[in-house]
């Protein structure tokens, strides 16, 4: 089955063509960093406007690169939620119009399931069951994937998403947007043990995350420290990153241990972070667990992962009616 995936849930306009749910024929991602950079964060109205401007050329390029015409497609998959409503609407409207015009089956895909399916685009996809840590700009959650399409949420953030914390701390340090890659780059020259930031632990022992405390701690530290030199900024970035990594790795490994599941998946935009990938890999090796981490370009938002998730849904006979609509609060489990 050849599936066209469309993704516009946040600030990336993306389209991809995937064959058999596994083979990427094209994967086009138009970033909006230039639009939101000056604001240090995503401006939803500007995001939807940019999606409208670029969605048609992006889809066209995905089809051209794959060497397929609309009539060659076996189906379309589009991100239905969660995300920004105005942004989601653009992708959903385009996908519905194309499906209607070309008389092709359509499915709506949960963006978080898409992130999980990024692992199935790699050479060695995970067997079920596995524990998935999905860390992005909008979400930070732990799922058990019991079988194809059956997920259980076993923990999530109680406040900010990890990526959001990276973005806010980068803004605080005057480093620009998006914060994750910049913090990683700047932090590489700093000392991760320079500053002790607090590690959040849930008083009820739940495998949930919290990143608002560390964000406040960084903000207080910056205010107290006064004007910062390059080396100090690097130390703050490195120490912040190390603490976030510690929180993510600890909770994930603990959850897997408790469940007796020895296969883990790390995915979502923040999974592009090298120290996080390395730390979780080291913990997994120590315990004899298998860790699956998609390549960086598949961890951050893309439409190939949406096409892959959509492929399995189309294959199982699922169809979205033309009344299908964007669902900003869609949950996975
Ligand atoms: O999954 P994603 O592309 O979009 C959402 O679904 O939110 O994730 C974007 C988030 C942003 O917060 C960005 O700062 C973060 O992922 N990110 C990173 C890195 N690359 C992207 N965070 C830490 N280290 C990175 N290398
Ligand atoms: Zn995402």
């Amino acid at each position: 089955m050849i599936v066209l995936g469309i993704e516009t849930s946040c600030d990336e306009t993306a389209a991809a063509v995937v064959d058999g749910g596994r083979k990427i024929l094209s994967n086009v991602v138009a970033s909006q960093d230039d639009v939101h950079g000056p604001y240090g964060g995503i401006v939803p109205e500007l995001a939807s406007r940019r999606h409208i401007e670029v969605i048609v050329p992006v889809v066209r390029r995905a089809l051209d690169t794959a060497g397929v015409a609309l009539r060659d497609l076996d189906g379309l998959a589009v991100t239905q939620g969660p995300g920004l409503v105005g942004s989601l609407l653009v992708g959903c409207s385009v996908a519905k119009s194309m499906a209607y015009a070309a008389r092709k089956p359509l499915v709506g895909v949960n963006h978080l399931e898409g992130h999980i399916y990024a692992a199935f685009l790699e050479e060695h996809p995970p067997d079920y069951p596995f524990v998935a840590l999905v860390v992005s700009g909008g979400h930070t959650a732990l799922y058990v994937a019991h079988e194809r399409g059956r997920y259980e949420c076993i923990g999530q953030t109680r406040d900010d998403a990890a990526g959001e914390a990276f973005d806010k701390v980068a803004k605080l340090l005057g480093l620009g947007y998006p914060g994750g890659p910049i913090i990683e780059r700047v932090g590489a020259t700093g000392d991760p043990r320079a500053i002790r930031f607090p590690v959040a632990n849930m008083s009820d022992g739940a495998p949930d995350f919290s990143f608002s405390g560390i964000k406040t701690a960084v903000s207080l530290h910056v205010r107290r420290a006064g004007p910062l030199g390059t080396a100090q900024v690097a130390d703050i970035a490195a120490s912040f990153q190390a603490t976030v990594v510690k929180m993510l790795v600890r909770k994930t490994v603990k959850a897997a241990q408790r469940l007796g599941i020895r296969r883990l998946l790390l995915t979502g935009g923040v999974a592009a972070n090298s120290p996080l990938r390395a730390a979780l890999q080291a913990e997994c090796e120590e315990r004899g667990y298998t860790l699956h981490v998609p390549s960086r370009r598949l961890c951050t938002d893309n439409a190939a992962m949406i096409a892959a998730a959509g492929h399995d849904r189309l294959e199982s006979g699922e169809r979205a009616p033309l009344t299908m609509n964007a669902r900003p609060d869609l949950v996975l489990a």
Side-chain angles (χ1 to χ4, degrees):
M1 266 173 113
I2 296 181
V3 176
L4 171 71
I6 295 177
E7 153 66 41
T8 63
S9 68
C10 196
D11 64 339
E12 251 90 39
T13 317
V17 179
V18 172
D19 186 4
R22 301 265 293 121
K23 188 167 174 237
I24 299 175
L25 301 183
S26 66
N27 190 14
V28 180
V29 180
S31 159
Q32 299 186 357
D33 289 350
D34 60 321
V35 175
H36 307 288
Y39 303 93
I42 296 164
V43 184
E45 184 56 33
L46 296 183
S48 16
R49 286 186 203 179
R50 177 56 79 89
H51 284 309
I52 291 173
E53 284 166 17
V54 304
I55 185 73
V56 172
V58 163
V59 167
R60 196 167 279 154
R61 204 158 106 217
L63 292 170
D64 288 349
T65 309
V68 302
L70 196 47
R71 64 174 175 279
D72 302 326
L73 297 175
D74 296 299
L76 287 90
V78 62
T79 306
Q80 190 181 3
L84 302 168
V85 67
S87 292
L88 290 164
L89 266 173
V90 177
C92 287
S93 308
V94 168
K96 283 195 288 185
S97 312
M98 288 178 71
Y100 176 70
R103 299 173 200 273
K104 299 287 180 184
L106 170 73
V107 281
V109 168
N110 184 307
H111 181 78
L112 302 172
E113 184 176 40
H115 274 304
I116 290 173
Y117 263 86
F120 292 86
L121 293 164
E122 297 295 346
E123 201 176 332
H124 302 290
D127 290 325
Y128 293 98
F130 57 87
V131 171
L133 171 63
V134 184
V135 254
S136 72
H139 299 87
T140 299
L142 273 171
Y143 298 96
V144 178
H146 290 283
E147 57 188 55
R148 218 193 217 208
R150 190 161 74 84
Y151 309 95
E152 181 189 352
C153 182
I154 53 169
Q156 57 189 319
T157 182
R158 294 198 180 171
D159 37 62
D160 292 351
E164 199 179 347
F166 269 94
D167 294 336
K168 285 179 180 168
V169 165
K171 189 174 181 181
L172 219 103
L173 295 172
L175 294 174
Y177 175 85
I182 306 177
I183 294 264
E184 179 175 346
R185 199 177 63 239
V186 171
T189 60
D191 176 6
R193 282 168 304 243
I195 307 140
R196 273 184 176 276
F197 289 125
V199 174
N201 277 310
M202 298 301 128
S203 51
D204 55 7
D208 284 343
F209 303 96
S210 167
F211 299 102
S212 66
I214 185 166
K215 190 186 65 193
T216 309
V218 174
S219 162
L220 283 173
H221 181 87
V222 168
R223 218 176 304 157
R224 282 198 201 113
L228 299 168
T230 313
Q232 285 167 299
V233 169
D235 282 349
I236 296 172
S239 303
F240 160 77
Q241 177 176 255
T243 310
V244 171
V245 166
K246 192 191 285 180
M247 288 195 261
L248 291 169
V249 169
R250 211 183 258 180
K251 290 260 156 76
T252 304
V253 170
K254 234 183 184 171
Q257 229 166 3
R258 183 172 54 81
L259 294 159
I261 297 175
R262 303 171 63 82
R263 268 184 302 269
L264 274 72
L265 164 61
L266 171 64
T267 187
V270 181
N273 184 271
S274 306
L276 173 59
R277 295 163 84 96
L280 192 54
Q281 182 64 49
E283 286 290 328
C284 285
E285 269 170 27
E286 199 171 293
R287 290 172 171 75
Y289 295 176
T290 310
L291 177 65
H292 296 264
V293 194
S295 61
R296 285 183 176 76
R297 75 187 177 112
L298 293 175
C299 280
T300 49
D301 284 353
N302 65 87
M305 66 186 198
I306 303 302
H311 172 274
D312 283 6
R313 295 194 168 269
L314 286 164
E315 199 179 57
S316 63
E318 193 176 314
R319 299 289 181 266
L322 288 177
T323 51
M324 183 266 265
N325 211 347
R327 287 179 56 192
D329 298 325
L330 190 64
V331 292
L332 182 58

